[in-house]
Each structure stands twice: as C-alpha cells, then as structure tokens.
Amino acid sequence: MTLILILALVTGAILFGVGVYGALSQTNLVMIMMGVELILAGALVNLVAFWRFLHPESYSGQMFALVVMTVMAVEMAVGFGVAIARFRARGSVEMEEAGDLKG
C-alpha cells in the first residue's frame, strides 16, 4: 500500500516540477498554459493519492478532484480564448509582446 502511495507522490512531484519549469521558462502563452495544467495535474495526483491512502471510504476526495478537473478545463478554455483573441489582434501569442495588455 505504501509503495503505491510513494509511486503516486513521486509521479505527482515529477508532473509538478515539469509544469513549474514549463510555466517559468516559456514565453509562448500556450506553452505557459500547458505548464500550469501540468502543475494542477501534479497537485491533483497527489490529492487523490493522499485521499485514497487516508480516507478510502469517503467520497469527498473524489468530489474535490472533480471540482479541480472542472477548474482546469475552464482555465484552459478561457486561456485559449485569450490566446486566440491576442493572435487575431496582434498576430502573435508571445508574452514578451503582450505589454499592451496592461491597465
């Protein structure tokens, strides 16, 4: 049982680390959003692993995981909407060129 928990936590940590690197090292909006999704996926894997290990009879962990997955889907929909609007207006989704979005 603990080996499965350790594997799940290591997998979640790897996803989280790759997501942080991807979100901080990229300048393209789509790649930054993919990094944020990996961060949320890593946190979700850890959440489900801890829920399964600590409270396997409770369904609250499953409901929270579904809420997190819904937030991930909404975040991607809004982010891609912003990216498409930015590309149509300026022809680029590079964040270095997005200074006009301030204020």
Side-chain angles (χ1 to χ4, degrees):
M1 181 71 171
T2 57
L3 179 63
I4 295 172
L5 176 65
I6 290 171
L7 288 175
L9 293 179
V10 167
T11 303
I14 290 171
L15 281 173
F16 190 86
V18 170
V20 168
Y21 175 75
L24 295 179
S25 67
Q26 300 295 324
T27 59
N28 190 326
L29 178 62
V30 175
M31 297 302 287
I32 292 171
M33 289 187 330
M34 288 174 65
V36 170
E37 285 297 310
L38 284 175
I39 291 170
L40 289 173
L44 185 61
V45 166
N46 285 341
L47 170 80
V48 170
F50 276 122
W51 162 78
R52 180 75 176 127
F53 184 72
L54 296 176
H55 303 289
E57 69 280 348
S58 173
Y59 292 110
S60 61
Q62 291 178 359
M63 292 300 119
F64 190 69
L66 286 174
V67 168
V68 170
M69 288 170 49
T70 305
V71 168
M72 289 171 63
V74 168
E75 179 248 341
M76 285 305 286
V78 170
F80 279 130
V82 169
I84 289 171
R86 170 82 184 143
F87 184 77
R88 286 181 181 169
R90 304 283 185 227
S92 173
V93 290
E94 295 295 321
M95 293 306 295
E96 294 170 347
E97 302 169 3
D100 58 341
L101 295 176
K102 293 180 183 177

XYZ file of all heavy atoms in Angstrom:
765
model
N 0.825 -1.199 0.000
C 0.000 0.000 0.000
C 0.868 1.262 0.000
O 0.610 2.189 -0.744
C -0.924 -0.029 1.220
C -1.840 1.130 1.322
S -3.098 1.031 0.063
C -4.151 2.321 0.595
N 1.893 1.282 0.837
C 2.717 2.484 0.884
C 3.576 2.636 -0.366
O 3.912 3.747 -0.732
C 3.617 2.479 2.127
O 4.420 1.304 2.118
C 2.791 2.540 3.386
N 3.919 1.525 -1.030
C 4.682 1.622 -2.271
C 3.855 2.315 -3.355
O 4.378 3.156 -4.098
C 5.118 0.238 -2.748
C 5.902 0.208 -4.062
C 7.208 0.964 -3.887
C 6.142 -1.202 -4.503
N 2.575 1.995 -3.402
C 1.692 2.651 -4.372
C 1.573 4.138 -4.064
O 1.606 4.978 -4.971
C 0.311 1.972 -4.375
C 0.444 0.541 -4.873
C -0.682 2.758 -5.229
C -0.807 -0.276 -4.733
N 1.474 4.468 -2.778
C 1.409 5.877 -2.385
C 2.693 6.599 -2.774
O 2.639 7.711 -3.325
C 1.161 5.999 -0.877
C 1.159 7.420 -0.319
C -0.012 8.202 -0.886
C 1.130 7.399 1.185
N 3.835 5.989 -2.528
C 5.106 6.624 -2.864
C 5.224 6.829 -4.373
O 5.651 7.899 -4.830
C 6.281 5.789 -2.310
C 6.300 5.877 -0.791
C 7.611 6.255 -2.894
C 7.259 4.933 -0.122
N 4.840 5.839 -5.157
C 4.885 5.984 -6.619
C 3.962 7.098 -7.103
O 4.329 7.873 -7.994
C 4.524 4.663 -7.289
C 5.572 3.548 -7.188
C 5.019 2.257 -7.782
C 6.842 3.959 -7.884
N 2.780 7.176 -6.521
C 1.850 8.235 -6.915
C 2.388 9.606 -6.531
O 2.284 10.565 -7.313
C 0.485 8.003 -6.271
N 2.978 9.715 -5.356
C 3.522 11.009 -4.929
C 4.728 11.414 -5.773
O 4.886 12.592 -6.104
C 3.888 10.961 -3.445
C 2.727 10.814 -2.480
C 3.232 10.745 -1.050
C 1.732 11.933 -2.646
N 5.562 10.458 -6.129
C 6.708 10.766 -6.987
C 6.225 11.191 -8.373
O 6.733 12.159 -8.951
C 7.669 9.559 -7.065
C 8.684 9.723 -8.175
C 8.362 9.358 -5.734
N 5.218 10.498 -8.896
C 4.650 10.877 -10.190
C 4.065 12.289 -10.136
O 4.288 13.103 -11.042
C 3.568 9.876 -10.615
O 4.136 8.580 -10.658
C 3.001 10.231 -11.976
N 3.329 12.588 -9.076
C 2.773 13.926 -8.916
C 3.843 14.989 -8.786
O 3.731 16.082 -9.358
N 4.915 14.673 -8.063
C 6.003 15.634 -7.912
C 6.720 15.879 -9.236
O 7.108 17.013 -9.541
C 6.986 15.136 -6.860
N 6.896 14.823 -10.023
C 7.531 14.987 -11.333
C 6.652 15.853 -12.242
O 7.151 16.771 -12.916
C 7.823 13.620 -11.970
C 8.946 12.923 -11.210
C 8.177 13.755 -13.441
C 9.169 11.491 -11.600
N 5.351 15.576 -12.267
C 4.434 16.411 -13.063
C 4.487 17.863 -12.606
O 4.522 18.790 -13.424
C 3.008 15.885 -12.949
C 2.639 14.675 -13.782
C 1.244 14.194 -13.406
C 2.699 15.013 -15.248
N 4.483 18.074 -11.299
C 4.520 19.430 -10.757
C 5.814 20.128 -11.149
O 5.806 21.289 -11.579
C 4.372 19.383 -9.228
C 4.161 20.722 -8.603
C 2.888 21.261 -8.508
C 5.224 21.449 -8.110
C 2.688 22.498 -7.936
C 5.038 22.684 -7.539
C 3.761 23.210 -7.448
N 6.944 19.434 -11.026
C 8.232 20.036 -11.363
C 8.359 20.373 -12.837
O 8.843 21.452 -13.201
N 7.912 19.465 -13.695
C 7.942 19.736 -15.135
C 7.022 20.914 -15.472
O 7.348 21.765 -16.297
C 7.559 18.474 -15.932
C 7.333 18.783 -17.394
C 8.623 17.416 -15.780
N 5.881 20.985 -14.797
C 4.961 22.090 -15.026
C 5.535 23.432 -14.595
O 5.389 24.437 -15.298
N 6.203 23.463 -13.446
C 6.833 24.710 -12.987
C 7.908 25.147 -13.966
O 7.992 26.321 -14.337
C 7.403 24.539 -11.558
C 8.304 25.697 -11.182
C 6.282 24.412 -10.551
N 8.739 24.201 -14.398
C 9.773 24.535 -15.372
C 9.140 25.043 -16.670
O 9.589 26.051 -17.237
C 10.657 23.320 -15.651
C 11.668 23.578 -16.735
C 12.790 24.357 -16.491
C 11.482 23.064 -18.015
C 13.711 24.605 -17.485
C 12.395 23.303 -19.017
C 13.512 24.078 -18.747
O 14.412 24.333 -19.739
N 8.102 24.359 -17.142
C 7.453 24.768 -18.384
C 6.790 26.130 -18.281
O 6.852 26.927 -19.215
N 6.172 26.401 -17.148
C 5.477 27.683 -16.997
C 6.456 28.845 -16.847
O 6.186 29.957 -17.314
C 4.538 27.634 -15.795
N 7.593 28.614 -16.218
C 8.530 29.705 -15.971
C 9.551 29.914 -17.085
O 10.123 30.991 -17.196
C 9.270 29.464 -14.649
C 8.401 29.484 -13.399
C 9.248 29.204 -12.174
C 7.680 30.808 -13.263
N 9.768 28.909 -17.917
C 10.818 29.042 -18.928
C 10.296 29.409 -20.306
O 11.100 29.709 -21.190
C 11.602 27.726 -19.030
O 10.774 26.702 -19.550
N 9.011 29.412 -20.507
C 8.455 29.670 -21.838
C 7.996 31.117 -21.974
O 7.674 31.779 -20.989
C 7.280 28.738 -22.108
C 7.627 27.281 -22.070
C 8.586 26.891 -23.174
O 8.518 27.407 -24.281
N 9.479 25.975 -22.861
N 7.946 31.577 -23.209
C 7.410 32.906 -23.478
C 6.116 32.835 -24.287
O 5.437 33.846 -24.432
C 8.427 33.768 -24.257
O 8.741 33.111 -25.484
C 9.695 33.959 -23.447
N 5.788 31.669 -24.782
C 4.564 31.493 -25.552
C 3.401 31.235 -24.588
O 3.499 30.400 -23.686
C 4.747 30.303 -26.504
C 3.630 30.190 -27.496
O 2.491 30.495 -27.198
N 3.962 29.732 -28.687
N 2.292 31.920 -24.787
C 1.155 31.811 -23.891
C 0.606 30.394 -23.820
O 0.258 29.901 -22.745
C 0.051 32.787 -24.321
C -1.242 32.762 -23.520
C -0.975 33.147 -22.074
C -2.265 33.683 -24.133
N 0.557 29.705 -24.934
C 0.023 28.344 -24.955
C 0.924 27.411 -24.144
O 0.444 26.564 -23.384
C -0.141 27.847 -26.404
C -0.583 26.406 -26.440
C -1.137 28.727 -27.149
N 2.221 27.553 -24.266
C 3.148 26.716 -23.507
C 3.082 27.022 -22.020
O 3.206 26.117 -21.189
C 4.569 26.901 -24.025
C 4.746 26.467 -25.470
S 4.317 24.746 -25.746
C 5.684 23.943 -24.973
N 2.877 28.269 -21.656
C 2.719 28.628 -20.243
C 1.454 27.988 -19.682
O 1.451 27.453 -18.572
C 2.701 30.161 -20.072
C 4.073 30.733 -20.399
C 2.285 30.546 -18.659
C 4.108 32.238 -20.477
N 0.378 28.011 -20.466
C -0.860 27.380 -20.010
C -0.688 25.874 -19.863
O -1.239 25.267 -18.934
C -1.996 27.691 -20.978
C -2.450 29.126 -20.909
S -3.922 29.548 -21.861
C -3.918 28.456 -23.217
N 0.092 25.257 -20.750
C 0.350 23.820 -20.614
C 1.132 23.535 -19.339
O 0.895 22.532 -18.655
C 1.113 23.302 -21.836
C 0.254 23.230 -23.077
S 1.167 22.778 -24.551
C 1.667 21.129 -24.171
N 2.069 24.409 -18.994
C 2.810 24.255 -17.746
C 1.907 24.374 -16.530
O 2.029 23.601 -15.571
N 0.991 25.307 -16.569
C 0.041 25.467 -15.459
C -0.852 24.238 -15.345
O -1.166 23.777 -14.240
C -0.786 26.765 -15.644
C -1.926 26.837 -14.649
C 0.106 27.976 -15.514
N -1.246 23.683 -16.467
C -2.055 22.453 -16.436
C -1.279 21.293 -15.824
O -1.843 20.502 -15.077
C -2.521 22.082 -17.851
C -3.624 22.956 -18.357
C -4.886 22.853 -17.531
O -5.350 21.738 -17.256
O -5.398 23.910 -17.152
N 0.005 21.194 -16.135
C 0.818 20.137 -15.529
C 0.967 20.348 -14.027
O 0.985 19.382 -13.259
C 2.189 20.068 -16.196
C 2.226 19.416 -17.567
C 3.621 19.532 -18.161
C 1.813 17.968 -17.473
N 1.074 21.597 -13.601
C 1.129 21.892 -12.163
C -0.150 21.421 -11.481
O -0.114 20.743 -10.445
C 1.361 23.397 -11.925
C 2.769 23.794 -12.346
C 1.125 23.768 -10.467
C 3.007 25.284 -12.367
N -1.283 21.762 -12.059
C -2.558 21.344 -11.473
C -2.734 19.829 -11.526
O -3.273 19.234 -10.583
C -3.713 22.040 -12.187
C -3.854 23.534 -11.922
C -4.926 24.133 -12.807
C -4.159 23.793 -10.469
N -2.259 19.193 -12.594
C -2.368 17.735 -12.692
C -1.505 17.059 -11.634
O -1.931 16.064 -11.021
C -1.969 17.270 -14.090
N -0.308 17.571 -11.401
C 0.544 17.008 -10.355
C -0.069 17.158 -8.979
O -0.035 16.228 -8.160
N -0.640 18.320 -8.710
C -1.313 18.521 -7.429
C -2.523 17.603 -7.299
O -2.798 17.064 -6.213
C -1.733 19.981 -7.294
N -3.228 17.383 -8.392
C -4.403 16.511 -8.365
C -4.000 15.051 -8.129
O -4.676 14.347 -7.365
C -5.177 16.640 -9.671
C -6.492 15.895 -9.766
C -7.461 16.400 -8.703
C -7.090 16.060 -11.136
N -2.911 14.609 -8.724
C -2.433 13.239 -8.485
C -2.082 13.061 -7.010
O -2.433 12.053 -6.386
C -1.233 12.915 -9.399
C -0.520 11.660 -8.944
C -1.684 12.774 -10.832
N -1.402 14.043 -6.431
C -1.064 13.958 -5.012
C -2.311 13.994 -4.138
O -2.399 13.267 -3.146
C -0.117 15.082 -4.622
C 1.285 14.827 -5.108
O 1.653 13.704 -5.425
N 2.073 15.879 -5.175
N -3.277 14.808 -4.503
C -4.524 14.877 -3.745
C -5.244 13.535 -3.744
O -5.663 13.047 -2.685
C -5.438 15.958 -4.336
C -6.862 15.988 -3.803
C -6.897 16.694 -2.467
C -7.785 16.634 -4.792
N -5.359 12.932 -4.900
C -6.056 11.648 -4.998
C -5.282 10.557 -4.263
O -5.875 9.703 -3.596
C -6.291 11.286 -6.482
C -6.781 9.864 -6.629
C -7.281 12.259 -7.095
N -3.949 10.586 -4.344
C -3.148 9.579 -3.646
C -3.328 9.686 -2.137
O -3.524 8.672 -1.452
C -1.679 9.736 -4.018
N -3.267 10.903 -1.613
C -3.461 11.080 -0.168
C -4.881 10.723 0.243
O -5.098 10.125 1.297
C -3.122 12.503 0.268
C -1.670 12.713 0.532
C -0.964 13.674 -0.158
C -1.001 11.949 1.466
C 0.375 13.871 0.085
C 0.339 12.136 1.718
C 1.033 13.103 1.021
N -5.853 11.105 -0.573
C -7.231 10.767 -0.233
C -7.413 9.257 -0.174
O -8.012 8.727 0.754
C -8.198 11.360 -1.267
C -9.531 10.703 -1.228
C -10.519 10.919 -0.323
C -10.004 9.693 -2.109
N -11.583 10.104 -0.592
C -11.291 9.331 -1.680
C -9.467 9.045 -3.215
C -12.045 8.370 -2.329
C -10.217 8.086 -3.851
C -11.488 7.760 -3.404
N -6.884 8.553 -1.147
C -7.033 7.096 -1.204
C -6.320 6.416 -0.041
O -6.788 5.416 0.483
C -6.481 6.589 -2.539
C -6.584 5.109 -2.719
C -8.007 4.733 -3.023
N -8.057 3.307 -3.292
C -8.871 2.467 -2.671
N -9.720 2.923 -1.795
N -8.856 1.205 -2.951
N -5.174 6.970 0.373
C -4.412 6.364 1.452
C -5.020 6.672 2.822
O -5.050 5.806 3.698
C -2.967 6.872 1.400
C -2.069 6.227 2.416
C -1.676 4.904 2.270
C -1.608 6.935 3.505
C -0.847 4.296 3.182
C -0.775 6.346 4.435
C -0.395 5.024 4.275
N -5.522 7.886 3.011
C -6.003 8.287 4.335
C -7.484 8.001 4.561
O -7.872 7.591 5.665
C -5.734 9.781 4.557
C -4.263 10.176 4.581
C -4.124 11.679 4.695
C -3.546 9.476 5.725
N -8.332 8.250 3.573
C -9.783 8.102 3.736
C -10.387 7.373 2.541
O -11.134 7.975 1.754
C -10.452 9.469 3.884
C -9.914 10.277 5.011
N -10.161 9.970 6.319
C -9.118 11.382 5.028
C -9.556 10.854 7.099
N -8.909 11.716 6.331
N -10.140 6.091 2.376
C -10.660 5.392 1.186
C -12.175 5.212 1.202
O -12.775 4.996 0.159
C -9.944 4.041 1.226
C -9.561 3.852 2.645
C -9.319 5.226 3.203
N -12.813 5.340 2.352
C -14.256 5.136 2.413
C -15.053 6.420 2.169
O -16.255 6.382 1.979
C -14.644 4.547 3.787
C -14.488 5.497 4.956
C -13.046 5.637 5.460
O -12.186 4.848 5.074
O -12.812 6.575 6.230
N -14.390 7.547 2.152
C -15.065 8.830 1.972
C -15.059 9.223 0.490
O -14.105 8.971 -0.234
C -14.354 9.904 2.791
O -14.893 11.167 2.505
N -16.145 9.872 0.062
C -16.248 10.321 -1.330
C -15.927 11.801 -1.498
O -15.978 12.325 -2.596
C -17.651 10.053 -1.872
C -17.939 8.579 -2.011
C -18.856 7.954 -1.173
C -17.283 7.811 -2.954
C -19.113 6.605 -1.295
C -17.530 6.462 -3.081
C -18.448 5.865 -2.251
O -18.687 4.528 -2.372
N -15.605 12.488 -0.432
C -15.330 13.920 -0.537
C -14.076 14.184 -1.367
O -13.994 15.190 -2.079
C -15.198 14.534 0.849
O -14.118 13.941 1.550
N -13.098 13.305 -1.295
C -11.889 13.475 -2.100
C -12.170 13.358 -3.584
O -11.606 14.089 -4.396
N -13.063 12.450 -3.941
C -13.425 12.308 -5.348
C -14.156 13.545 -5.850
O -13.913 14.008 -6.969
C -14.296 11.078 -5.538
C -13.576 9.780 -5.341
C -14.503 8.589 -5.490
O -15.693 8.731 -5.731
N -13.940 7.398 -5.345
N -15.032 14.084 -5.034
C -15.768 15.285 -5.440
C -14.820 16.473 -5.606
O -14.943 17.248 -6.549
C -16.854 15.633 -4.410
C -17.988 14.642 -4.355
S -18.824 14.523 -5.933
C -18.560 12.824 -6.322
N -13.868 16.603 -4.683
C -12.901 17.694 -4.793
C -12.047 17.523 -6.038
O -11.721 18.507 -6.714
C -12.036 17.765 -3.537
C -11.192 19.001 -3.472
C -11.765 20.243 -3.288
C -9.822 18.919 -3.631
C -10.994 21.381 -3.252
C -9.044 20.045 -3.594
C -9.620 21.285 -3.397
N -11.667 16.288 -6.361
C -10.891 16.034 -7.572
C -11.689 16.428 -8.816
O -11.136 16.999 -9.763
C -10.475 14.574 -7.639
N -12.977 16.137 -8.832
C -13.817 16.545 -9.967
C -13.909 18.063 -10.079
O -13.910 18.613 -11.186
C -15.203 15.938 -9.839
C -15.300 14.447 -10.137
C -16.709 13.937 -9.835
C -14.943 14.167 -11.573
N -13.974 18.749 -8.942
C -14.009 20.218 -8.962
C -12.697 20.757 -9.521
O -12.694 21.684 -10.344
C -14.298 20.770 -7.550
C -14.050 22.258 -7.484
C -15.714 20.452 -7.131
N -11.574 20.183 -9.108
C -10.274 20.634 -9.617
C -10.168 20.392 -11.119
O -9.675 21.242 -11.867
C -9.126 19.945 -8.853
C -7.783 20.212 -9.510
C -9.099 20.414 -7.415
N -10.647 19.243 -11.583
C -10.617 18.960 -13.020
C -11.506 19.935 -13.788
O -11.157 20.358 -14.900
C -11.056 17.524 -13.272
C -10.016 16.508 -12.851
S -10.533 14.790 -12.858
C -11.275 14.599 -14.439
N -12.640 20.324 -13.218
C -13.514 21.308 -13.856
C -12.824 22.664 -13.935
O -12.895 23.346 -14.967
C -14.832 21.418 -13.080
O -15.420 20.126 -12.981
C -15.790 22.376 -13.749
N -12.147 23.053 -12.865
C -11.404 24.318 -12.875
C -10.299 24.277 -13.929
O -10.071 25.268 -14.631
C -10.836 24.611 -11.469
C -9.830 25.741 -11.497
C -11.957 24.925 -10.504
N -9.644 23.139 -14.071
C -8.608 23.007 -15.098
C -9.199 23.195 -16.494
O -8.609 23.881 -17.342
C -7.951 21.633 -14.999
C -7.062 21.445 -13.794
S -6.504 19.749 -13.538
C -5.548 19.449 -14.999
N -10.365 22.617 -16.744
C -10.997 22.745 -18.061
C -11.425 24.182 -18.331
O -11.227 24.701 -19.448
C -12.193 21.800 -18.154
N -11.990 24.836 -17.344
C -12.427 26.233 -17.512
C -11.225 27.141 -17.730
O -11.257 28.039 -18.583
C -13.270 26.689 -16.296
C -13.493 28.176 -16.303
C -14.584 25.940 -16.257
N -10.162 26.905 -16.974
C -8.954 27.715 -17.119
C -8.381 27.593 -18.528
O -7.970 28.583 -19.135
C -7.928 27.272 -16.078
C -6.622 28.007 -16.144
C -5.484 27.128 -16.596
O -5.591 25.895 -16.522
O -4.486 27.699 -17.056
N -8.383 26.383 -19.065
C -7.870 26.196 -20.421
C -8.775 26.859 -21.462
O -8.294 27.447 -22.423
C -7.711 24.710 -20.733
C -6.515 24.081 -20.055
S -4.957 24.921 -20.390
C -4.654 24.403 -22.055
N -10.077 26.766 -21.276
C -10.999 27.391 -22.224
C -10.818 28.911 -22.243
O -10.746 29.522 -23.313
C -12.433 27.019 -21.871
N -10.723 29.509 -21.075
C -10.534 30.963 -21.002
C -9.160 31.349 -21.553
O -9.027 32.321 -22.308
C -10.715 31.459 -19.553
C -10.284 32.900 -19.405
C -12.150 31.285 -19.113
N -8.149 30.583 -21.192
C -6.801 30.882 -21.673
C -6.679 30.785 -23.179
O -6.055 31.629 -23.819
N -7.267 29.747 -23.757
C -7.222 29.631 -25.217
C -8.047 30.722 -25.882
O -7.697 31.193 -26.967
C -7.682 28.251 -25.672
C -6.617 27.207 -25.569
C -6.875 26.011 -24.946
C -5.358 27.416 -26.103
C -5.891 25.048 -24.842
C -4.365 26.467 -26.015
C -4.636 25.275 -25.377
N -9.134 31.148 -25.245
C -9.905 32.274 -25.774
C -9.068 33.544 -25.807
O -9.077 34.287 -26.801
N -8.331 33.801 -24.747
C -7.447 34.968 -24.703
C -6.346 34.829 -25.752
O -6.003 35.803 -26.449
C -6.852 35.142 -23.292
C -5.734 36.165 -23.284
C -7.937 35.519 -22.309
N -5.792 33.630 -25.885
C -4.724 33.418 -26.864
C -5.226 33.632 -28.290
O -4.543 34.249 -29.115
C -4.143 32.008 -26.708
N -6.412 33.137 -28.586
C -6.965 33.316 -29.933
C -7.261 34.784 -30.211
O -6.959 35.306 -31.288
C -8.222 32.453 -30.118
C -7.826 30.982 -30.188
C -8.996 32.857 -31.369
C -8.990 30.034 -30.152
N -7.832 35.482 -29.217
C -8.101 36.913 -29.394
C -6.802 37.690 -29.573
O -6.721 38.597 -30.418
C -8.878 37.449 -28.198
N -5.795 37.335 -28.813
C -4.492 38.005 -28.927
C -3.862 37.724 -30.302
O -3.306 38.624 -30.930
C -3.589 37.496 -27.805
C -2.170 37.896 -27.895
C -1.952 39.287 -27.351
N -0.556 39.626 -27.557
C -0.136 40.812 -27.874
N -0.991 41.798 -27.960
N 1.121 41.059 -28.060
N -3.957 36.496 -30.774
C -3.377 36.155 -32.077
C -4.107 36.867 -33.203
O -3.483 37.340 -34.163
C -3.411 34.640 -32.294
C -2.744 34.222 -33.556
C -1.367 34.183 -33.644
C -3.492 33.883 -34.673
C -0.739 33.809 -34.817
C -2.875 33.502 -35.850
C -1.499 33.467 -35.922
N -5.430 36.956 -33.109
C -6.191 37.653 -34.159
C -5.894 39.143 -34.178
O -5.855 39.765 -35.238
C -7.683 37.429 -33.960
C -8.124 36.046 -34.344
C -9.605 35.880 -34.155
N -10.022 34.524 -34.509
C -11.204 34.030 -34.260
N -12.120 34.779 -33.656
N -11.497 32.800 -34.616
N -5.687 39.722 -32.997
C -5.447 41.166 -32.930
C -4.011 41.537 -33.305
O -3.779 42.521 -33.991
C -5.763 41.684 -31.527
N -3.038 40.750 -32.827
C -1.636 41.127 -32.998
C -0.814 40.166 -33.844
O 0.312 40.465 -34.193
C -0.965 41.253 -31.631
C -1.635 42.216 -30.702
C -1.306 43.640 -31.084
N -1.868 44.538 -30.088
C -2.554 45.606 -30.362
N -2.754 45.942 -31.610
N -3.053 46.353 -29.425
N -1.329 38.961 -34.092
C -0.591 38.002 -34.890
C 0.468 37.225 -34.125
O 1.303 36.570 -34.720
N 0.441 37.307 -32.803
C 1.438 36.613 -32.001
C 0.855 36.305 -30.626
O 0.010 37.035 -30.123
C 2.686 37.479 -31.839
O 3.586 36.882 -30.943
N 1.331 35.221 -30.029
C 0.924 34.896 -28.656
C 2.143 34.889 -27.730
O 2.093 34.321 -26.647
C 0.188 33.532 -28.585
C -1.160 33.616 -29.228
C 1.018 32.414 -29.167
N 3.219 35.542 -28.139
C 4.403 35.651 -27.292
C 4.129 36.637 -26.163
O 3.604 37.731 -26.383
C 5.614 36.106 -28.100
C 6.065 35.114 -29.146
C 6.563 33.827 -28.530
O 7.237 33.871 -27.484
O 6.268 32.761 -29.101
N 4.507 36.259 -24.957
C 4.216 37.099 -23.794
C 5.120 38.325 -23.730
O 4.769 39.317 -23.101
C 4.344 36.270 -22.507
C 3.292 35.201 -22.383
S 1.599 35.796 -22.551
C 1.457 36.835 -21.115
N 6.267 38.273 -24.377
C 7.152 39.432 -24.388
C 6.524 40.602 -25.153
O 6.844 41.761 -24.893
C 8.492 39.060 -25.016
C 9.259 38.056 -24.196
C 10.462 37.528 -24.935
O 10.564 37.742 -26.156
O 11.295 36.883 -24.284
N 5.632 40.304 -26.063
C 4.990 41.334 -26.875
C 3.623 41.738 -26.312
O 2.886 42.460 -26.954
C 4.812 40.824 -28.289
C 6.116 40.420 -28.964
C 5.876 39.684 -30.254
O 4.715 39.529 -30.650
O 6.878 39.249 -30.860
N 3.296 41.262 -25.121
C 1.957 41.489 -24.578
C 1.921 42.641 -23.577
O 1.061 42.692 -22.711
C 1.438 40.212 -23.896
N 2.819 43.581 -23.684
C 2.843 44.709 -22.779
C 1.632 45.616 -22.906
O 1.276 46.341 -21.985
N 0.970 45.572 -24.060
C -0.204 46.423 -24.259
C -1.441 45.890 -23.529
O -2.479 46.563 -23.513
C -0.503 46.566 -25.751
C -0.744 45.231 -26.415
O -0.343 44.189 -25.863
O -1.338 45.230 -27.518
N -1.362 44.726 -22.903
C -2.496 44.204 -22.143
C -2.611 44.815 -20.760
O -3.597 44.636 -20.073
C -2.379 42.672 -22.003
C -2.480 41.863 -23.284
C -2.248 40.395 -22.973
C -3.839 42.059 -23.918
N -1.592 45.565 -20.344
C -1.612 46.204 -19.020
C -2.636 47.327 -18.990
O -2.855 48.021 -19.961
C -0.239 46.788 -18.668
C 0.829 45.770 -18.467
C 2.118 46.448 -18.128
C 3.243 45.449 -17.982
N 4.512 46.105 -17.724
N -3.210 47.509 -17.804
C -4.050 48.648 -17.493
C -5.291 48.775 -18.247
O -6.057 49.584 -18.273
